[in-house]
Amino acid sequence: MSTAELLKGAAELFPGEVVTQAHVRHFELPAGAGRFALITLDNGLDHTKPTTFGPQSLANLDAALDQVGAEASEGSIVGVGITGKPFIFAVGADLKGVELLKRHEDALAIGRGGHEVFKRIAALPVPTFAYYNGAAMGGGVEVGLHCTYRTVSAALPAFSLPEVFLGLVPGWGGCTLLPNLIGAERAVSVVIENSLNQNRQLKGGQVYDLGIADALFDGADFLEQSLVWTASVLKGEVTVGRPEIDRGEAWDAAVAHGRSVADSKVHGAAPAAYRALDIIAAAKDGDLQAGFDAEDQALADLIMGGELRSGIYAFNLVQKRAKRPAGAPDKSLARPVTKVGVVGAGLMASQLALLFLRRLEVPVVLTDIDQDRIDKGVGYVHGEIDKLLLKSRINQDKANRLKGLVSGVLDKAEGFADADFVIEAVFEEMSVKQQVFAEVEAVAPAHAILATNTSSLSVTEMASKLKNPERVVGFHFFNPVAILPLLEIVRGERTDDASLATAFGVAKKLKKTAVLVKDAPAFVVNRILTRFMGEIQNVIDEGTPVEVAERAVEPLGLPMSPLVLLELVGPAIGLHVSETLHGAFPDRFTVSENLAAVVKAGKRGFYVYANDNTAVPELDPEVAALLKQGDTVLTEEQTRERVLDAVAQEIGLMLAEGVVAEAQDIDLCLITGAGWPFHLGGVTPYLDRAGVSERVNGKPFLAPGVASVPA
């Protein structure tokens, strides 16, 4: 079957493709270097709709290559370049089309179609140039790898091969060409390590330093400089030197390192990283066609697998659902926020003050019970601003302005009299929070939002003694505040639409992923994590060794083990949340005597670490001495089944209670608030795929095709 026939068949499966054109224009290169053909990839939309490659888009590039190929053969052009529209080079395969594929042979056609088109670039009888002018990801990076030379803009903000992050492999040349260009060690870093580190992006300078690009130019006149450089290359005035690739032990060591990274991140739970490493390992002998064939096969296998479908589902949640929160009131109801008050000046309160200050750029005032605490809180914010200045993230004027906007006072009346939004971050005890809100209500304007950062207490009860409970809203951040995107916005029983709309408006300006949550104990993330970790703790208390219980959930590929997470959260906070949930749901949530003993002993966690933090953590002997265990010992498999059953049951009950609108919101919360991996899709796609949902609740959480291969 010809490439054109292959792509035509694929295009029929994807009628909704946003089609990328491949415009060809000709001009004379500088310094009399000759006539040149430049292909510009452009879908006709602005930079907020990045250029992608679906079947028709590949066919358009194929047609452009027909044209320039004929011109090159007849000698009417001296070279061919490829670039993108303003701010965007190209961001790879159109995932909306991948979602629609139902058959292995159709998935195979997508891989082959891309390869057949891209290979034509390298086969042209003249030198080819990729000009990475803007964001380049996946297939966008790969189309450039097929060129003879590459330049990159110093202003390029994002460059990556993110496929492994989603559950795929770089399948249009990335696994094969990149190690043959820059060596296996650097290729493994880009393909495996960056992907598995939350899809870490490269900047233009890093792309050049890695040797992916041959020249680096400023963004302002990037294309002009690239064309001057191109003329120099074609005239022989510039010779591009590339280091010799080490195809010996260094290659094998790089692949072995990649496997250890994959093991540490996904513990064998998701196949994509391992398939990519197999192809990189085989690329050592330089047989490109064998590598391309292996990429095709891996792509097809993974496209038909559950991990990729979960990955695409998770990607869509983060990119689309997160921008349109389910149940949020009309944004026109939101009131402006021109000043923010923060009750408390401890670490959490100071982090919140910094976030509001940086994103809203309005006056932020902290209060606390003594001046020393206030000074420390304001000092923390100033110190963080100085760090941003030191890293050149802001200039001196901006630093001075931000410092001038943050202040601290003892008197709430003085601080909050003109505040539009006041958030408390004080001790997690109902009576304390009720007292704080009573004090704030007495001095803040009638329109001011009163927000609580509570992690588990009832927002309704907190507001119950106020004259205006309708303006109280839960605003639950996750630690570290600057890193984790989730913000659970909790509607109390009497919270009105205007207050809620204002809260969502503020969340958007804070660049947080806001999810509307019913006022139910511990809301979403903490309720699920407490049930999850509580079941692990129950198994340990009953007699299963700690190391067995920890290993039991490794196959999920979670960002950290349950007891390491407990250490991060803090055993005292974990105990407090479990007590809150035990009070609400005593039949499902237990309060572990062992955990209580660990907290009473003042231990920060269950483990001790070697001084260099590189060794595997060991159970703290002092903690081991505290543990009182029964004689019921479960296997890893039995433990895992019990834990997953508990999670599936809890999610089913939360959905029945209306804690969130849909299962999708549960998954969005776990991905953005707890770092649960894309290959699980949060968790409900995995529970469906593993048969747990059916076993526990009698039905799956999601309809067929939502995070799985369509029927």
Side-chain angles (χ1 to χ4, degrees), residues 213-449:
D214 303 304
L216 175 73
F217 298 115
D218 288 339
D221 56 351
F222 168 71
L223 189 57
E224 291 84 347
Q225 290 188 72
S226 292
L227 292 172
V228 169
W229 181 84
T230 296
S232 300
V233 170
L234 291 172
K235 291 176 71 178
E237 296 167 0
V238 168
T239 302
V240 174
R242 295 189 181 128
E244 190 176 338
I245 302 300
D246 187 334
R247 298 182 185 279
E249 290 181 8
W251 193 292
D252 299 333
V255 172
H257 171 68
R259 293 192 196 285
S260 70
V261 170
D263 286 343
S264 71
K265 293 290 185 180
V266 300
H267 308 281
Y274 303 97
R275 292 296 293 268
L277 287 163
D278 288 344
I279 300 167
I280 292 171
K284 181 179 176 180
D285 62 7
D287 185 341
L288 300 186
Q289 188 54 53
F292 296 160
D293 292 342
E295 288 174 351
D296 289 342
Q297 196 61 51
L299 266 186
D301 291 348
L302 292 167
I303 284 172
M304 301 312 291
E307 289 81 6
L308 171 69
R309 303 302 171 133
S310 294
I312 294 175
Y313 163 82
F315 181 81
N316 287 336
L317 291 180
V318 171
Q319 294 297 318
K320 296 175 185 174
R321 190 177 184 91
K323 293 175 173 61
R324 294 186 294 275
D330 189 320
K331 59 185 178 185
S332 67
L333 297 172
R335 295 189 287 262
V337 172
T338 60
K339 183 178 180 181
V340 172
V342 181
V343 185
L347 181 58
M348 189 66 178
S350 302
Q351 287 183 69
L352 294 179
L354 178 68
L355 179 68
F356 279 92
L357 183 67
R358 286 195 66 200
R359 297 294 187 219
L360 272 59
E361 295 191 23
V362 299
V364 175
V365 59
L366 298 97
T367 67
D368 212 314
I369 55 174
D370 62 59
Q371 193 63 46
D372 283 349
R373 293 183 194 218
I374 292 170
D375 292 344
K376 190 175 179 183
V378 173
Y380 168 86
V381 176
H382 282 196
E384 292 301 305
I385 292 168
D386 286 336
K387 288 179 189 175
L388 293 170
L389 179 62
L390 202 62
K391 293 174 183 173
S392 300
R393 301 268 295 277
I394 56 174
N395 60 27
Q396 187 67 59
D397 285 348
K398 180 86 172 272
N400 292 343
R401 191 166 75 254
L402 290 177
K403 285 183 180 180
L405 286 170
V406 65
S407 61
V409 294
L410 276 168
D411 183 5
K412 291 185 180 68
E414 179 187 344
F416 299 157
D418 55 349
D420 306 302
F421 191 102
V422 180
I423 184 167
E424 67 76 22
V426 298
F427 188 65
E428 191 76 348
E429 189 172 299
M430 182 60 74
S431 60
V432 175
K433 291 183 184 289
Q434 285 180 330
Q435 181 186 340
V436 161
F437 271 165
E439 292 170 0
V440 173
E441 186 182 47
V443 297
H447 70 270
I449 302 299

Side-chain angles (χ1 to χ4, degrees), residues 132-181:
Y132 290 123
N133 64 301
M137 298 173 201
V141 168
E142 290 170 302
V143 70
L145 295 178
H146 287 265
C147 293
T148 322
Y149 305 101
R150 286 154 295 280
T151 67
V152 66
S153 166
L156 182 147
F159 183 104
S160 65
L161 289 170
E163 287 84 351
V164 166
F165 177 66
L166 292 172
L168 278 175
V169 298
W172 286 341
C175 290
T176 303
L177 294 174
L178 192 62
N180 278 289
L181 175 67

Side-chain angles (χ1 to χ4, degrees), residues 632-652:
T632 302
V633 179
L634 301 185
T635 65
E636 289 177 27
E637 291 75 16
Q638 290 169 324
T639 300
R640 184 164 57 252
E641 181 175 313
R642 187 163 147 185
V643 169
L644 292 175
D645 283 3
V647 169
Q649 182 194 33
E650 202 59 39
I651 292 171

Side-chain angles (χ1 to χ4, degrees), residues 530-553:
T530 303
R531 185 76 197 275
F532 171 81
M533 292 165 67
E535 210 56 50
I536 292 279
Q537 188 72 59
N538 288 343
V539 167
I540 292 169
D541 293 353
E542 290 165 17
T544 299
V546 169
E547 61 274 14
V548 173
E550 285 270 83
R551 279 200 309 269
V553 292

